Amino acid sequence: FDHYMFIAPTSKPEELTVPQGYILGPLLEDHAEAIAPQWAEDVGVPDLIMKDLNLVSIVGANITERPCFGIFTESDPNTPIAWLCIYSAGSIGMLHVKEGHRGKGLGRILLRHCLKVVQDTHGMECRAQACCQKFNAGSLNLLFSEGWELQPINFKKMFFSKSGPQ
């Protein structure tokens, strides 16, 4: 398994100001068309499999069913240039910042905002989780710098069917 599992810090994150020229807002189902192919590329899903899995529908459903946020430019407030989603059980994932906008703290803003949403919704005792690819240096550095802790992954508890753990 080429991922690390992280658990959020127990402290409430300080909200950061979005830099001038950018807007923080909710993702909409229409954004799935742009996000799904980038997500597939980020996690290494070939185009053919992406179409077979219908990732646009999967991403769209996640956006409509759970809080997902994007950062947009003031010049193009309809196209996200960075995004992060909250999944079920308070896990956070799909962080991406487009190349021309990296190094401006946009990923940090999204991470803190999503963590605050999880904590405000479920209480401070709910510690959000994030799964990060081992080779994703940018996301690893972000999570560590924000106080997230590595957690062991127990595959026996992760995968189970109606008949019990597999």
Side-chain angles (χ1 to χ4, degrees):
F1 193 64
D2 66 344
H3 287 69
Y4 291 122
M5 183 65 72
F6 286 84
I7 191 163
T10 55
S11 58
K12 195 166 208 88
E14 177 185 332
E15 292 261 4
L16 297 171
T17 305
V18 179
Q20 187 171 353
Y22 293 97
I23 303 163
L24 172 66
L27 291 177
L28 304 174
E29 187 175 13
D30 293 348
H31 297 135
E33 289 286 336
I35 292 172
Q38 184 62 61
W39 179 57
E41 183 180 321
D42 290 348
V43 297
V45 175
D47 287 343
L48 182 61
I49 293 174
M50 186 185 112
K51 289 176 184 153
D52 285 347
L53 293 176
N54 199 1
L55 288 184
V56 172
S57 292
I58 293 169
V59 171
N62 192 63
I63 289 171
T64 58
E65 295 170 13
R66 298 179 186 91
C68 295
F69 300 95
I71 294 182
F72 307 82
T73 61
E74 288 179 351
S75 61
D76 186 1
N78 297 313
T79 305
I81 52 90
W83 52 82
L84 185 61
C85 290
I86 300 173
Y87 300 124
S88 61
S91 62
I92 294 173
M94 236 175 17
L95 174 63
H96 184 83
V97 178
K98 290 192 174 186
E99 252 181 72
H101 302 276
R102 293 180 183 164
K104 299 176 183 181
L106 303 179
R108 186 175 310 277
I109 290 166
L110 286 166
L111 182 66
R112 287 188 184 187
H113 184 75
C114 286
L115 180 54
K116 183 179 181 311
V117 168
V118 170
Q119 291 173 337
D120 288 349
T121 303
H122 301 289
M124 291 298 292
E125 66 279 356
C126 179
R127 293 184 71 187
Q129 298 178 355
C131 195
C132 182
Q133 291 176 313
K134 291 179 179 180
F135 59 82
N136 187 336
S139 290
L140 291 171
N141 289 335
L142 173 62
L143 290 165
F144 281 125
S145 72
E146 287 293 305
W148 289 62
E149 301 169 11
L150 274 176
Q151 294 294 300
I153 298 175
N154 184 337
F155 291 103
K156 289 183 180 180
K157 289 184 178 180
M158 286 179 63
F159 302 104
F160 54 92
S161 66
K162 290 180 181 180
S163 61
Q166 295 182 3

